[in-house]
Amino acid sequence: MNGLQRLIAKLGTTKAFAGVGQALTRVDERLLRRTNGRFGVGSSIGLRTLLLTSTGRRSGQPRQVPLLYVERDGAFIVIGSNWGGENHPAWSANLIDQPQATATVRGRTLPVHARLLTGDERQTTWDAVAAYWPAYNTYATRAANREIRVFRLEVSPA
């Protein structure tokens, strides 16, 4: 991480940043949509961000959300932290209900299949992602009443 990324990661552990981050999510979604996943708020400082499009479990409509990700063994790892809030984010429930989705990353929209990680695989993956964005450990402490969901997005064959 460069100096700016370290500063943002440190700020990311604060509750105030979580509030700001939730507001920036809408801006990030618009930027990622307009640039086909090439540019967003996070990517402007060198953080890896994708635009996940899942199917709303109640509405059946496409739902988009920008997410930080880590690439691991050819897949995208995303975390349902909800900034450490007490509830799981809606997109994570959508993926559990309908694991077929798309990830728009670096100018490409890819079909993906989401798999919720559990046990040792979840913990090993969590550790790798938290090394990239340490604020996730703070979010886990804040969300003490739930285990934060960790998903592996496998790119589906075309």
Side-chain angles (χ1 to χ4, degrees):
M1 279 191 162
N2 65 38
L4 181 58
Q5 290 168 329
R6 280 193 299 280
L7 173 64
I8 297 297
K10 179 118 175 101
L11 290 172
T13 64
T14 67
K15 276 194 162 201
F17 184 85
V20 170
Q22 288 171 338
L24 286 176
T25 296
R26 286 175 175 47
V27 173
D28 205 21
E29 179 184 336
R30 286 185 194 113
L31 284 170
L32 288 164
R33 196 180 300 150
R34 286 187 181 141
T35 64
N36 200 29
R38 288 185 181 95
F39 181 80
V41 174
S43 62
S44 68
I45 60 164
L47 296 174
R48 288 168 254 163
T49 309
L50 61 76
L51 187 61
L52 176 72
T53 305
S54 61
T55 302
R57 69 186 190 288
R58 292 188 194 143
S59 69
Q61 298 300 307
R63 301 291 181 219
Q64 291 187 313
V65 62
L67 299 169
L68 289 181
Y69 73 93
V70 169
E71 287 188 61
R72 194 167 168 91
D73 302 322
F76 304 111
I77 306 300
V78 293
I79 307 291
S81 67
N82 204 18
W83 304 93
E86 63 184 50
N87 298 313
H88 293 290
W91 65 263
S92 71
N94 292 346
L95 287 182
I96 290 170
D97 188 62
Q98 174 52 258
Q100 299 306 107
T102 62
T104 303
V105 133
R106 297 183 303 267
R108 295 182 60 208
T109 299
L110 305 165
V112 294
H113 180 86
R115 185 167 58 86
L116 179 64
L117 303 183
T118 59
D120 290 342
E121 183 181 28
R122 180 203 176 276
Q123 189 60 53
T124 300
T125 304
W126 175 273
D127 292 343
V129 175
Y132 175 69
W133 184 251
Y136 282 130
N137 288 324
T138 301
Y139 303 158
T141 300
R142 265 192 237 141
N145 65 332
R146 67 179 177 95
E147 181 177 73
I148 291 177
R149 294 172 176 163
V150 178
F151 289 90
R152 181 179 175 86
L153 305 177
E154 298 275 351
V155 177
S156 303

